Amino acid sequence: MASLLGRFCRKLVVPGSAHGSRMISTTACDSEAVKSLNLYSAINQALHIALETDPRSYVFGEDVGFGGVFRCTTGLAERFGKNRVFNTPLCEQGIVGFGIGLAAMGNRAVVEIQFADYIYPAFDQIVNEAAKFRYRSGNQFNCGGLTIRAPYGAVGHGGHYHSQSPEAFFCHVPGIKVVIPRSPREAKGLLLSSIRDPNPVVFFEPKWLYRQAVEEVPEHDYMIPLSQAEVIREGNDITLVGWGAQLTVMEQACLDAEKVLDFIFQLKDNWFKVSNMGLELIMQEGISCELIDLKTLLPWDKETVEASVKKTGRLLISHEAPVTGGFGAEISATILERCFLKLEAPVSRVCGLDTPFPLVFEPFYMPTKNKASSSSSLSSPLKKKRHYLIMGLHVWCRYWMQSSPLLITSHSICFFR
Amino acid sequence: MALSRLSLRSNRFLQPSSTTAAALPSSLRRHVSTDTTPITIETAVPFESHLCDAPSRSVETSSSEILSFFRDMARMRRMEIAADSLYKSKLIRGFCHLYDGQEALAVGMEAAITRKDAIITSYRDHCTFLGRGGELVDAFSELMGRKRGCSNGKGGSMHFYKKDACFYGGHGIVGAQIPLGCGLAFAQKYSKEEFVTFTLYGDGAANQGQLFEALNIAALWDLPAILVCENNHYGMGTATWRSAKSPAYFKRGDYVPGLKVDGMDALAVKQACKFAKEHALKNGPIVLEMDTYRYHGHSMSDPGSTYRTRDEVSGVRQVRDPIERVRKLLLSHDIATEKELKDMEKEVRKEVDDAVAQAKESPVPEPSELFTNMYVKDCGVESFGADRKELKVTLA
């Protein structure tokens, strides 16, 4: 199913800065009206729809009244009134606790934490109250109407306290869901699903993409199912798993890796036109990558990833959060359990470094596409492919040697390099 | 002219004159910059107190002190304006929270205490750092993320520290410094050295739960902690009347005494801090509310005009500006002439420009610094990089 979707994918390429502007979506677009929106506008639209469709839903947090620091809540207070969209004082613990209480009475509380870096005072409320409410009351009560939204992730100059990715902490808490969209269209659908999901959801929005990512977003009310991963790009050699803004980086790495694949296919038909340089190129690149967007981190779609890894035999996970104890570790351990005999190389994690998120050193900290490309997982299928290519070329060469003396010389020079 | 420059720069050669300065010829009046004879000035706004007796409105000061207020505040103001333009030219990245308008607080507090008393504050810390004896070069270098910076370029705007002046920084998370500050006071109580801690926070942070936890413990254990609420009336974009049921922050301590001070008057601030220090050493914690105002928005990404009118900002600038107030004081008491003050401002401007130029030349920290100071040196902890096989570093 996922691969079928992949076949019908439409890539939306958007001009912009080098990092983060290219967003891809493979959700098939039907004939309903669409509008070109960036991430914060898509989220804004989702919030408008959520408040419109459920009269007992509320949006609150710090500074949401005037539109919020990222403009995600623009127009809500004017349209739905100060009773439903309101500012809170500066107290995250209070805000989330308040939201849990509201949700426990059957309302939908969409709570905003201004930056994910500030979610820690509310951590106790989320872990000890929200996640366990249904469980400890024997299903008498629940706070399923609670959705906590927070911008997360690097933004280029955020420093220690405006760039953190705390998703791993929350993935360790049974009882809540953790959802991370990668693009405007995904964000709108996933946010609506999260708000309407009968479980408390923590929704992290990649802040780098608020303005950078622009996409055609359907204007109607639609939901994207939770806990279903999506194969954005099909491939055969290696599976790459990620979420949020990191997917753009990984897509760049995929493109770099696949660069000369087309050239190789051309080669089969035009063998006699090959030059020395062409052969050298073949030796270097040519890896077909399968890219998966996890979307929901808790509970995550193990089946899709497992099916993909069983096909490719290799896995690379990438996230901005520090590598030790990051969510990549959970994916790695699970895939190892399920696909051990099919794995051809250890699972690779290309993640942030084990340091606090730095200020001036951000470019060194981030898991860039070059780090992904040069990781051992991506380079080991290369060695295998190179080996087969050399063997294959050698066989071809011996065949042509009989008919074309000139070719012999050029090919042998290549082989002996 | 030359004589005035001489008196301002080196006060070794000239004797301080008597207080009958007005009767003296103008050439001798320039000596008063070194004059330490006490002058008493009444604060314009009375103190409001909660559970304690307010201190007297008559502040003892001297000409040299008031002049030093002027110079220090002018330096702070210029530094913030320079930081504004550096940010706009993208030399400072990240977040930059400016303190202009609130200088009287930093300067008045310093006048009342010693460098052994600790100060800990929020992210709006550039001027507090300067008040604690920080160099302009170190401040600008840190803002631009250079090695010369006070935190070696690793902290940035929000994390200025100065160990030798007991300045414990610079905190990004709102309200996190409050329990920390009370902890510092706890340590000071153990050391029995009669020093106090000033813990600064804003009106936004006043609604954080950790403030009340810290207040309770500080009061329970009689810690020499002075909690100073810098009430600039806006918690980012939210006015105090919209975020607080009780905007009388000095009363929020409930069982802890409090004092409300006009935070735009450096002398009132000095008086209050002196009073607070004595109180804290004898009776335990006290809450000070400084009624102040910031001209810039919350940070450089905030224009500061979406939640307040420009008239309001310019109104405060005209009526309550701390530097203007001190300037009027200096002129009315004949401590300095208009021209001398303008010259002083020009000097300060040059100082700041030189510091910026010097800071620009400082290099960025080495890439290996990314991994230093995580744990104690040579702890031996290994850090894995992007791919566990690719990058492995022993944290220093």
Side-chain angles (χ1 to χ4, degrees), chain A residues 93, chain B residues 178-179 182 208-219 255:
Chain A
Q93 185 172 22
Chain B
I178 305 172
C182 292
Q208 279 274 320
Q210 38 196 341
L211 166 61
F212 299 96
E213 293 182 11
L215 268 171
N216 181 48
I217 294 184
Y255 37 82

Side-chain angles (χ1 to χ4, degrees), chain A residues 215-233:
Chain A
E215 201 176 19
E216 302 279 308
V217 178
E219 293 198 344
H220 63 279
D221 183 349
Y222 67 98
M223 305 202 322
I224 293 179
L226 299 184
S227 295
Q228 277 189 28
E230 186 182 344
V231 179
I232 311 176
R233 188 185 192 88

Side-chain angles (χ1 to χ4, degrees), chain A residues 7-50:
Chain A
R7 225 168 281 270
F8 289 108
C9 79
R10 282 194 299 170
K11 272 203 213 133
L12 298 165
V13 180
V14 177
S17 69
H19 181 113
S21 64
R22 244 188 89 139
M23 276 332 288
I24 44 175
S25 173
T26 55
T27 328
C29 208
D30 54 15
S31 57
E32 298 256 2
V34 292
K35 201 166 166 207
S36 193
L37 290 179
N38 57 23
L39 187 67
Y40 76 75
S41 306
I43 288 177
N44 186 241
Q45 239 184 42
L47 289 172
H48 273 273
I49 292 173

Side-chain angles (χ1 to χ4, degrees), chain A residues 63 90 157 348-350 356 375, chain B residues 94 208 236 238 374 386-388:
Chain A
D63 299 311
L90 215 169
H157 53 268
S348 191
R349 291 181 288 160
V350 180
S375 87
Chain B
Q208 279 274 320
M236 224 164 76
T238 309
M374 290 272 301
D387 188 333
R388 287 211 160 211

